[in-house]
Amino acid sequence: MPTLPKSDAARAATDVLRRPLYNDIIELSGGYAFPRFLPDVTREAGIAATAYRHETMQYAEVLGLDDLRDLIVSFARADGVSCGRDNVMIVNGAKHGLDLICRAFLQPGDRVIVTAPSYMTALSILRTHQVEFLSIRQDDDGIVADDLETQLVNDQAEGRPLPKLLFDVPEFHNPTGITTSLARRRQLVELAGRFGFLIIEDDPYRRIRFEGEPVPPIKSLDARGVVIGLGTASKIVAPGLRIGWAIAEPAIISRMASFKADGGTNPFSQRIFAELLRTNQIDGLVAKLVTELRLHRDAMISSLAKALPEAAVRKPPGGYFLWATFPAGTDVDLLSGLAPSYGVRIYPGRLSYAGQPLLPAIRLCYSYEEPERIAEGISRLGRAYRAMSSTRMDDTVRQSIVATLGEAPIH
């Protein structure tokens, strides 16, 4: 580490980094599952290891187990999505599905539409495919489709290449918690058909609804075959299963499958999830989770009002995340880098933008910790914010603190 200036501020900041104020870390960053509600799958694993060992101990079919694909068809139809087995492929989580879509449909330099802000891991995946981003702002109804239409019309008139894909999380958006309105969803489908791009609908939080009426999935509005729906067991059962699915036109599924070189998604995990679906356990698991996470969300919002009134938040009617914005000029990168030394971990909003961040913001996740721990974590974050705001740090000190952000996993 470079030699630090011998100012009191530098010494104070360095002392906190070297000797954290807390021995534990309260995890308010990644979208981890709530530990107490991870299901006991002993029975399902036993079935997978005995009655179905002929399939679970072999390589899997590239499209996934037929039984599971049929069960996903029923699962999706409950949300109004019309599909059959040929429309479904099982993948190693929704992120794997996104990567396969990129491999199948993108070349370096192709343009992809994203919201500003957007899901940080999706941006990371898209960057590995060397795309150019077209960032479109959001309002309370989701992505501003009129802005997108204006941009596409101008691009077409000026002969610029049109985007190939649009990526969005329309239900309890990650990170903002916004749900895209039905009118906007219909408008997106119309634009995709008119301008020739595919919509990737990442929909992991649909069933984690605390209040209000559900909005139909974009895929349920798709009469033109322009939407690829991504789903996952990670947010409703357990991320460790690594089970997700893609729903699209058979030709799209076939094209994605040609890039799936994993020997088939883990058939043991597939069978466990299939048994949970077949025995109708998912609704019960989700109902418990919704009741619990509503308490988590409310605890986080009330704690922010007490410990960090400077942070403005929107109350999401579901999902895992809060998006907290700060007054102009707030150094949220520094706050995020300093937070672990105060015993709490968060993500800076910068990670959720494809380009220049529009707002100083942080992403907070309430899924993992108990409500009491959430309240304590926000209290610690408030303490870090006060220390940051009252201390003038040398650039070298700031850089050493912000550098720690690269060490955290992203979910």
Side-chain angles (χ1 to χ4, degrees):
M1 180 180 292
T3 302
L4 298 175
K6 300 299 183 181
S7 66
D8 290 342
R11 277 196 298 270
T14 306
D15 285 347
V16 170
L17 286 176
R18 290 175 177 168
R19 293 185 292 276
L21 300 177
Y22 298 90
N23 293 324
D24 65 330
I25 290 287
I26 296 177
E27 187 61 70
L28 302 182
S29 60
Y32 297 98
F34 183 50
R36 279 203 291 116
F37 283 7
L38 290 170
D40 182 346
V41 294
T42 303
R43 187 191 71 85
E44 291 76 19
I47 292 171
T50 54
Y52 288 96
R53 66 183 182 276
H54 61 282
E55 70 176 17
T56 61
M57 300 300 178
Q58 288 283 8
Y59 291 110
E61 292 292 333
V62 67
L63 294 178
L65 301 181
D66 285 349
D67 282 357
L68 181 53
R69 292 165 68 203
D70 289 341
L71 287 162
I72 294 298
V73 166
S74 298
F75 194 68
R77 284 178 178 170
D79 290 325
V81 176
S82 178
C83 60
R85 182 192 293 177
D86 291 344
N87 299 108
V88 177
M89 179 169 65
I90 307 302
V91 291
N92 304 309
K95 290 188 281 288
H96 181 216
L98 174 59
D99 185 65
L100 288 173
I101 294 167
C102 292
R103 292 177 185 275
F105 293 100
L106 294 178
Q107 296 293 328
D110 283 343
R111 300 170 75 205
V112 176
I113 305 158
V114 294
T115 54
S118 188
Y119 172 34
M120 57 181 71
T121 306
L123 296 179
S124 179
I125 292 169
L126 288 162
R127 287 188 181 103
T128 68
H129 294 276
Q130 303 175 54
V131 304
E132 294 183 9
F133 290 106
L134 173 53
S135 294
I136 303 296
R137 68 185 177 96
Q138 293 176 298
D139 61 18
D140 289 345
D141 288 325
I143 185 170
V144 181
D146 286 345
D147 286 5
L148 174 59
E149 181 175 19
T150 298
Q151 181 69 53
L152 294 172
V153 168
N154 290 341
D155 287 347
Q156 193 172 58
E158 296 174 15
R160 286 194 293 267
L162 293 173
K164 295 282 188 69
L165 302 173
L166 179 151
F167 174 86
D168 196 11
V169 183
E171 205 80 21
F172 315 129
H173 181 267
N174 180 355
T176 64
I178 291 169
T179 292
T180 303
S181 69
L182 179 59
R184 292 275 175 86
R185 295 176 191 224
R186 286 177 170 149
Q187 193 174 0
L188 289 177
V189 172
E190 191 277 326
L191 291 174
R194 192 182 354 151
F195 291 97
F197 60 84
L198 293 172
I199 297 171
I200 306 169
E201 180 182 26
D202 190 11
D203 200 13
Y205 312 107
R206 165 163 295 278
R207 285 172 169 76
I208 312 298
R209 173 174 284 278
F210 309 139
E211 56 253 344
E213 294 300 318
V215 184
I218 299 176
K219 184 60 185 168
S220 73
L221 309 173
D222 179 26
R224 306 186 184 196
V226 296
V227 180
I228 305 173
L230 294 178
T232 181
S234 294
K235 306 306 182 187
I236 57 174
V237 180
L241 285 178
R242 305 314 307 134
I243 295 296
W245 54 91
I247 300 177
E249 292 299 296
I252 291 175
I253 292 295
S254 178
R255 187 164 173 178
M256 290 171 60
S258 68
F259 291 87
K260 194 170 187 285
D262 58 0
T265 297
N266 185 338
F268 199 92
S269 290
Q270 287 192 65
R271 177 51 61 185
I272 289 173
F273 187 53
E275 289 302 304
L276 291 172
L277 285 169
R278 187 180 63 79
T279 54
N280 299 313
Q281 295 183 62
I282 301 300
D283 287 348
L285 293 171
V286 170
K288 283 178 56 181
L289 188 61
V290 166
T291 299
E292 180 69 28
L293 293 191
R294 184 188 293 115
L295 298 176
H296 293 211
R297 176 204 62 181
D298 293 348
M300 181 172 279
I301 290 174
S302 63
S303 299
L304 283 164
K306 295 173 185 176
L308 260 177
E310 297 85 352
V313 297
R314 175 190 287 106
K315 184 178 182 179
Y320 271 37
F321 301 103
L322 280 182
W323 182 245
T325 58
F326 287 82
T330 303
D331 193 340
V332 291
D333 278 1
L334 179 58
L335 176 61
S336 302
L338 195 59
S341 296
Y342 284 80
V344 62
R345 186 157 32 233
I346 62 173
Y347 283 143
R350 170 179 52 81
L351 300 177
S352 296
Y353 286 98
Q356 185 69 24
L358 302 182
L359 293 170
I362 58 174
R363 191 190 78 170
L364 296 167
C365 182
Y366 48 77
S367 65
Y368 180 70
E369 300 283 5
E370 299 277 358
E372 297 78 11
R373 293 266 294 172
I374 290 172
E376 173 62 19
I378 296 300
S379 177
R380 295 178 184 185
L381 185 62
R383 186 176 177 186
Y385 180 82
R386 309 273 165 247
M388 179 192 75
S389 301
S390 63
T391 303
R392 186 176 181 84
M393 292 187 185
D394 180 273
D395 282 346
T396 305
V397 178
R398 180 191 179 278
Q399 289 167 12
S400 68
I401 294 172
V402 172
T404 62
L405 291 172
E407 300 170 5
I410 295 178
H411 301 289

